[in-house]
Amino acid sequence: MHDDRSLVEARLKRVLDERIRPAVYPESVPLDVAVWHAPGEPVPVAEGLAAEPEPVRVGARWGAPWGTSWFRVTGTVPEEWAGRTVEALLDLGFDENMPGFQCEGLVYHPDGTPVKGLNPRNQWVRVGAPVAGGEEVRLHIEAASNPVILDYHPFLPTALGDKETAGSEPQYTLTRMDLAVFDEGVWQLVIDLEVLGELMAELPVDSPRRYEILRAVDRALDAVDLQDVNGTAARAREQLADVLSAPAVPSAHRISAVGHAHIDSAWLWPLRETVRKVARTTSNMTALLEDEPDFVFAMSQAQQWAWVKEHRPEVWARVKKAVADGRFVPAGGMWVESDTNMPGSEAMARQFVHGKRFFLDEFGIENDEAWLPDTFGFAAGLPQIIRAAGATRLLTQKISWSQTNKFPHHTFQWEGIDGTRIFTHFPPVDTYNCSMKGSEIAHAARNFKDKGVARHSLAPTGWGDGGGGTTREMVAKAARLRDLEGSARVVWETPRAFFDKAEAEYPEPPVWVGELYLELHRATLTSQAGTKQGNRRSEHLLREAELWAATAAVRTGLPYPYEEFDRIWKTVLLHQFHDILPGSSIAWVHREARATYRRIAGELNGIIETAQRALAGEGGTPLVFNAAPHARAGVPAGAAATPATEGRTRVAPREGGGHILDNGLLRIEIDGRGLVVSAYDIEADRETVAPGRAANLLQLHPDFPNMWDAWDVDEFYRNTVTDLTDAESVAPGEDGGDGGDGASVRIVRTFGSSRVSQVLSLAAGERRLVLDTEVDWHETEKFLKLAFPLDVHAERYASETQFGHFHRPTHTNTSWEAARFEACNHRFVHLEEPGWGVAIVNDSTYGHDVTRAVRGDGDRGTTTTVRVSLLRAPRFPDPETDQGVHRFRHALVPGADIGDAVREGWRINVPERRVTGAGEVAPLVSVDEDAVVLTAVKLADDGSGDVVVRFHEAHGGRARATLTAGFEVAGVTVTDLLERPLPEAAAPRRDGDRITVRLRPFELMTLRLRRRPR
């Protein structure tokens, strides 16, 4: 037989595009349209419905950026359409390639009942099936004219990312507002031909199945009268029945389709618009669930559920019913789909506390999985947190975006820093926006790494990022793929059902140990420094406020601010969403975030001051409140006392220019350029700075990645570097920077359009050089680093992560190590040789890089350089990213072991507070082992008055510690993160108010201490 394959495939494409798809709606009549443009921010639904609109015609321009327009469409169903299915076609000016990224709408009945959402792939509203003819149609559309930020030429700077700069130019053209007859037979033919055409294209060219489909399609096209598609569609479908009913082979891959609409809680739209995106999407999905009995939809992010409950109660009622039916599924058990690299220990724990508790309180549903399809890599401390929250599973697909290395598994056990393992799945479909295309289904089956030992994978199905969700076309395609020869088998299932099957068939999956590093989007550890500082400071203020509020409640009876803490925690957790904290959202989002963090700081400082005043009492004794988990200057952790002082620091001129700071423990030489050329550990007789090099070196790189400006830094940025060594002034400071007995040197530099002012200080009795850096930043597409070349030979270094630290190699032996050229730390990085190490601690930065080189000239020593990432200046999506003044604090700690790194990391983030009062304040809970770090001391969330203490082993070894309560303890219970008893955990040994615990390396533990009634 002659090969006419290409001819038939080309015929299929043209006939579908030009004849069959247009015949889905064979008849239409225009609707009358009127519009009212809300003058500012979105208005309540009742106000929008009551507004008096003005007539408008199709073809009119509408919608200022970020505006809201209320359209009213009215019409009458023609009498001659009686008995047929009729839909309203409402095209606001959509580009079908941009679902979720442009204008959207929510349709209402006149009484305010929501009908469904409108987006570029969902433009229809059912009027009747069948209609009687003559019905009056009246619909209202709350239309959002969200501008297109990420256009066909992506990453171009735009002022549209903030309503304050976006202007008022209309963004869209009203395209179609019609009533139309919907021919379901033709629509079904379209789905038949699309499924078969897409499947055919994925089969081998020499496959018999491919040619069976080709011949059936050819016959079907012959059966279609192109002048009467509607009258011949059924005849054409008959020609396809046999190939559509051929069953899949027994070994076919199994795909659990989960209805999905990944909705970024803020990204290329502000938070307030996400509230409406969620309402539109949930309206669509509840409507689709009513129409499609096999369909199952899952939605994560308890915050988004809470928005629906608060802002759209009429939609919430439909959601609750669908949840009760078991088909609208709460997923993930987190407050938002957060970043997991940068949130601190307690914040990561509280993501699960608040997320799981919401679903438990509202629906009685316990989530067993963490659902994080789009998060930019996963910290090595996360498995323990997931398990401590009562979950055992994780889903993500983002690691498939890695640029360099292909991850070796799709289903595996992920082991964290403490040894906890979590059953993990990466959907091999490689998207969280699966649309049931044949290419996607075939890719999932081919790509699945665990073939031969497992056969199940999951496909999150529906338009996402900006929401939208699953469409009726996707459901119809999945129905045909349920059991179809040549394809994977597709069935709608809940996440739990998928994981149950996957675990049952794969009882001993491979193990991946350590972080799940995304080899992409590394610059999210640095972009939008103000947002990152707001997060770090909010986390520590929350911990401090809970500590002092709990202490004051127990000691003085001061009311504990439960509601305030709940609200503030949820606000902080929301801003850890994986585009807000990483700095990849539009300017509007970060402008609001900075204001929110300022407000939160004011509230929390108020709570702290009130509690400390209650604890201190009236008096004139100077007290220092120490909220850090380690004693300092004689003040115990979690206590208040008069601090001890010891010695002084001398500042002297340095031969050749510059200054020397010496406190008897460290001798710091700062040259005439303001660079640290020596940091000498006097006791150890050891130099910290590599020979011939200088620390405190600011380095400037060009920063223009190939894509994803705010997200990415590409390795070639290192090829060009400018050392900022010129100084306007280098002079002794007025004090030690921290106040008290110390000495400092002040350095001022200018470069480009920017200015840097630094204070380098050495306090008496301290083994740390503090660097306070203020940058007035006005660069564009530049990357600013702060370098510390260290005379340390280390094959690995430690970075703090949640509830511990994680080691990374300093070398690049393999492509996996080379790809980690920018990484995350929390409060410290630490390098060491046996017996001596160095820590670099920070108060608000996350990104860093570590490189090593062997020196020549007969030395052959190793220089290991740590560089802290300070600032970037990408122009998309916020063209003014980080412009302005920023303040950072770092410290160089020579001679530090890992315990010193932990302690100094806390110290730089939790400064002491000075209050006058009656006398010392004892800790509410104390611990006698420095390796055991208290991350939370608070009252139980249930209002019982129990004291909850969370702690972990922080040094990476085993620990035995005694916790002493500063109150009478009636009982102690080991709990999960939600403060529920762990039945399998034995109660620790208690002797009165002293509790003895034993911890394995990095083990996390939560204790609930019941207070004895007075």
Side-chain angles (χ1 to χ4, degrees):
M1 179 179 285
H2 298 297
D3 185 359
D4 61 351
R5 177 178 54 82
S6 298
L7 189 68
V8 175
E9 291 171 357
R11 179 190 184 194
L12 171 61
K13 182 179 186 307
R14 184 175 186 192
V15 171
L16 261 175
D17 287 346
E18 297 185 22
R19 292 294 186 271
I20 301 179
R21 287 194 185 98
V24 171
Y25 293 103
E27 300 176 58
S28 64
V29 295
L31 288 159
D32 293 323
V33 188
V35 65
W36 174 73
H37 302 292
E41 283 292 278
V43 299
V45 173
E47 185 177 340
L49 293 174
E52 190 58 41
E54 297 289 334
V56 66
R57 293 184 177 275
V58 167
R61 298 282 292 168
W62 72 279
W66 306 113
T68 300
S69 299
W70 282 84
F71 290 95
R72 184 186 68 197
V73 296
T74 57
T76 304
V77 176
E79 298 283 356
E80 59 271 24
W81 289 0
R84 303 171 79 177
T85 298
V86 175
E87 295 181 345
L89 300 182
L90 308 173
D91 187 344
L92 300 172
F94 295 128
D95 178 339
E96 69 171 16
N97 295 315
M98 292 190 176
F101 291 92
Q102 56 168 214
C103 58
E104 301 173 48
L106 182 54
V107 181
Y108 296 88
H109 288 306
D111 65 358
T113 303
V115 181
K116 67 188 294 283
L118 296 177
N119 64 60
R121 295 296 182 101
N122 213 322
Q123 303 177 23
W124 58 273
V125 175
R126 181 64 56 87
V127 171
V131 296
E135 293 95 333
E136 294 298 321
V137 176
R138 184 185 183 95
L139 298 171
H140 297 261
I141 308 166
E142 180 189 16
S145 50
N146 302 332
V148 175
I149 306 294
L150 192 67
D151 215 331
Y152 286 99
H153 187 167
F155 318 122
L156 290 180
T158 175
L160 292 171
D162 194 332
K163 66 176 181 177
E164 294 186 352
T165 60
S168 59
E169 184 69 20
Q171 299 293 294
Y172 297 101
T173 300
L174 201 62
T175 301
R176 185 176 187 181
M177 293 278 160
D178 289 348
L179 285 178
V181 172
F182 174 70
D183 189 327
E184 183 168 357
V186 176
W187 182 82
Q188 295 285 3
L189 176 60
V190 170
I191 303 299
D192 289 346
L193 289 171
E194 285 183 350
V195 167
L196 291 171
E198 291 166 5
L199 173 59
M200 184 168 56
E202 297 301 321
L203 294 170
V205 172
D206 58 357
S207 163
R209 174 64 170 164
R210 179 165 183 157
Y211 279 90
E212 287 177 1
I213 295 172
L214 184 79
R215 294 301 157 216
V217 168
D218 202 21
R219 292 192 300 271
L221 296 178
D222 287 341
V224 174
D225 182 345
L226 299 185
Q227 309 308 312
D228 184 18
V229 173
N230 301 90
T232 56
R235 189 171 68 195
R237 293 195 72 203
E238 291 173 0
Q239 300 300 318
L240 303 174
D242 287 345
V243 290
L244 282 169
S245 62
V249 298
S251 61
H253 185 66
R254 269 75 165 167
I255 293 178
S256 297
V258 178
H260 188 238
H262 176 63
I263 304 178
D264 288 315
S265 289
W267 180 27
L268 304 180
W269 43 86
L271 286 167
R272 67 90 155 142
E273 191 55 34
T274 313
V275 175
R276 301 200 297 174
K277 282 178 174 287
V278 174
R280 292 189 283 261
T281 296
T282 51
S283 294
N284 254 350
M285 295 303 95
T286 51
L288 189 61
L289 286 166
E290 292 172 2
D291 293 339
E292 302 290 348
D294 294 332
F295 177 54
V296 175
F297 181 77
M299 190 169 87
S300 66
Q301 306 191 73
Q303 169 69 90
Q304 296 186 0
W305 293 71
W307 278 334
V308 178
K309 180 182 180 182
E310 178 182 358
H311 296 283
R312 289 290 196 270
E314 65 282 356
V315 179
W316 179 247
R318 291 166 55 177
V319 168
K320 286 189 70 174
K321 180 182 181 304
V323 172
D325 293 340
R327 299 176 57 216
F328 197 123
V329 182
M334 296 176 68
W335 190 245
V336 295
E337 289 181 12
S338 72
D339 180 79
T340 75
N341 286 312
M342 291 176 282
S345 302
E346 268 306 302
M348 201 73 253
R350 305 296 176 98
Q351 286 286 353
F352 289 91
V353 169
H354 287 283
K356 295 197 77 169
R357 188 172 286 149
F358 181 89
F359 293 139
L360 282 164
D361 290 347
E362 294 293 337
F363 309 114
I365 290 175
E366 175 98 17
N367 295 106
D368 198 36
E369 77 288 329
W371 183 276
L372 290 164
D374 192 29
T375 297
F376 309 153
F378 301 87
L382 189 57
Q384 178 174 210
I385 299 171
I386 295 173
R387 180 78 68 167
T392 59
R393 297 154 167 178
L394 168 68
L395 179 133
T396 183
Q397 69 84 217
K398 197 65 173 186
I399 302 301
S400 70
W401 286 42
S402 286
Q403 289 178 314
T404 305
N405 297 285
K406 194 75 172 175
F407 198 81
H409 318 296
H410 281 108
T411 301
F412 60 100
Q413 292 277 6
W414 178 29
E415 182 178 315
I417 55 174
D418 73 313
T420 297
R421 291 181 177 181
I422 295 294
F423 188 83
T424 302
H425 181 67
F426 293 173
V429 71
D430 282 350
T431 179
Y432 48 79
N433 295 326
C434 176
S435 61
M436 283 293 137
K437 285 183 179 178
S439 56
E440 295 169 336
I441 301 305
H443 175 76
R446 285 194 300 262
N447 187 41
F448 188 53
K449 292 285 191 296
D450 303 282
K451 290 188 285 282
V453 287
R455 61 171 58 179
H456 283 85
S457 72
L458 185 147
T461 302
W463 300 114
D465 288 317
T470 317
T471 65
R472 63 184 178 184
E473 288 79 13
M474 296 175 195
V475 176
K477 285 188 172 185
R480 288 158 174 80
L481 296 172
R482 187 178 185 93
D483 190 11
L484 182 62
E485 183 184 355
S487 172
R489 297 175 185 262
V490 177
V491 61
W492 294 105
E493 289 189 303
T494 65
R496 181 185 294 273
F498 160 73
F499 274 111
D500 286 346
K501 290 180 179 178
E503 282 195 274
E505 74 176 3
Y506 207 6
E508 295 185 11
V511 177
W512 181 271
V513 178
E515 67 182 333
L516 294 171
Y517 180 91
L518 177 63
E519 296 169 355
L520 192 74
H521 293 356
R522 303 166 180 90
T524 57
L525 302 173
T526 305
S527 296
Q528 298 287 359
T531 300
K532 290 172 169 58
Q533 287 184 332
N535 173 73
R536 177 76 69 85
R537 289 166 187 168
S538 296
E539 289 180 348
H540 286 97
L541 283 170
L542 271 162
R543 178 190 177 276
E544 188 177 2
E546 287 182 337
L547 168 66
W548 298 128
T551 306
V554 173
R555 294 276 167 72
T556 73
L558 185 72
Y560 189 78
Y562 291 100
E563 292 183 2
E564 289 89 340
F565 282 143
D566 181 75
R567 172 178 49 79
I568 294 171
W569 263 118
K570 287 174 179 175
T571 301
V572 172
L573 299 177
L574 167 59
H575 285 79
Q576 291 177 339
F577 178 76
H578 66 249
D579 279 305
I580 304 178
L581 179 54
S584 47
S585 295
I586 56 175
W588 188 348
V589 173
H590 293 288
R591 172 173 56 80
E592 290 189 331
R594 291 189 294 271
T596 297
Y597 286 131
R598 286 193 295 271
R599 185 182 72 251
I600 286 172
E603 287 190 74
L604 291 173
N605 279 316
I607 292 171
I608 292 167
E609 290 163 11
T610 299
Q612 290 181 341
R613 174 51 52 206
L615 288 165
E618 296 298 325
T621 302
L623 299 173
V624 166
F625 278 79
N626 173 23
H630 307 92
R632 59 188 181 198
V635 182
T642 301
T645 59
E646 179 183 355
R648 296 188 63 84
T649 299
R650 296 181 298 107
V651 58
R654 176 180 176 272
E655 185 177 349
H659 306 275
I660 297 175
L661 304 176
D662 190 331
N663 66 358
L665 300 173
L666 298 178
R667 185 172 69 244
I668 308 297
E669 294 190 31
I670 302 165
D671 71 7
R673 303 169 298 170
L675 303 179
V676 176
V677 293
S678 174
Y680 191 72
D681 182 342
I682 296 171
E683 181 180 359
D685 188 22
R686 174 73 185 258
E687 177 58 62
T688 306
V689 180
R693 301 290 299 278
N696 188 43
L697 175 63
L698 290 165
Q699 295 183 303
L700 195 65
H701 295 270
D703 187 18
F704 190 66
N706 289 344
M707 295 177 66
W708 300 106
D709 294 35
W711 295 256
D712 280 0
V713 56
D714 290 327
E715 191 171 15
F716 55 72
Y717 88 94
R718 289 178 171 175
N719 297 347
T720 307
V721 60
T722 301
D723 292 344
L724 303 178
T725 57
D726 294 338
E728 286 188 359
S729 64
V730 179
E734 296 180 358
D735 57 40
D738 283 325
D741 295 318
S744 65
V745 173
R746 183 178 184 85
I747 304 123
V748 177
R749 309 182 194 278
T750 58
F751 59 95
S753 301
S754 303
R755 178 183 179 88
V756 176
S757 174
Q758 286 186 301
V759 176
L760 275 56
S761 55
L762 181 64
E766 299 293 344
R767 301 177 59 88
R768 61 175 193 161
L769 174 68
V770 175
L771 300 86
D772 287 294
T773 303
E774 179 179 289
V775 186
D776 190 3
W777 180 247
H778 298 283
E779 304 306 303
T780 299
E781 294 166 352
K782 294 290 193 293
F783 197 2
L784 184 64
K785 292 263 189 175
L786 179 61
F788 298 87
L790 307 174
D791 189 12
V792 176
H793 177 84
E795 293 185 357
R796 66 178 192 170
Y797 73 98
S799 293
E800 189 185 32
T801 189
Q802 293 97 0
F803 298 110
H805 57 264
F806 174 67
H807 287 100
R808 297 186 184 95
T810 60
H811 57 75
T812 54
N813 281 359
T814 71
S815 59
W816 295 87
E817 290 138 4
R820 287 179 170 87
F821 59 81
E822 185 79 5
C824 183
N825 65 277
H826 287 186
R827 287 167 290 233
F828 69 80
V829 294
H830 178 257
L831 301 90
E832 66 178 345
E833 297 173 1
W836 194 87
V838 182
I840 297 170
V841 300
N842 72 83
D843 76 339
S844 60
T845 56
Y846 296 92
H848 69 277
D849 69 89
V850 178
T851 55
R852 68 201 301 264
V854 174
R855 303 186 289 271
D857 300 327
D859 178 355
R860 292 186 295 175
T862 299
T863 298
T864 304
T865 301
V866 178
R867 298 197 309 159
V868 176
S869 302
L870 295 182
L871 290 165
R872 300 183 67 236
R875 300 186 66 208
F876 181 88
D878 176 5
E880 299 297 320
T881 300
D882 280 334
Q883 301 300 295
V885 176
H886 303 272
R887 296 176 180 85
F888 307 97
R889 172 169 278 203
H890 296 84
L892 175 68
V893 191
D897 60 20
I898 195 67
D900 296 321
V902 172
R903 183 179 59 256
E904 293 297 339
W906 275 99
R907 177 173 182 175
I908 203 169
N909 280 274
V910 186
E912 63 268 17
R913 294 175 183 261
R914 297 179 183 273
V915 179
T916 58
E920 295 186 354
V921 178
L924 186 64
V925 178
S926 62
V927 61
D928 66 352
E929 169 57 65
D930 257 10
V932 177
V933 171
L934 302 179
T935 60
V937 178
K938 58 189 287 293
L939 295 193
D941 291 340
D942 61 7
S944 63
D946 292 353
V947 174
V948 171
V949 184
R950 187 149 36 247
F951 51 91
H952 71 286
E953 195 289 319
H955 293 181
R958 294 187 178 271
R960 179 185 182 279
T962 298
L963 277 72
T964 301
F967 54 91
E968 289 190 66
V969 176
V972 57
T973 307
V974 181
T975 75
D976 66 5
L977 294 180
L978 277 71
E979 302 168 9
R980 303 174 300 189
L982 288 175
E984 70 277 13
R989 184 165 58 84
R990 180 169 69 91
D991 181 6
D993 303 330
R994 294 165 55 85
I995 302 152
T996 301
V997 296
R998 296 179 182 273
L999 301 175
R1000 64 178 182 273
F1002 301 128
E1003 183 178 0
L1004 159 67
M1005 183 177 288
T1006 304
L1007 295 182
R1008 183 170 181 142
L1009 311 180
R1010 191 170 75 256
R1011 292 156 57 194
R1012 191 177 302 282
R1014 292 183 177 181

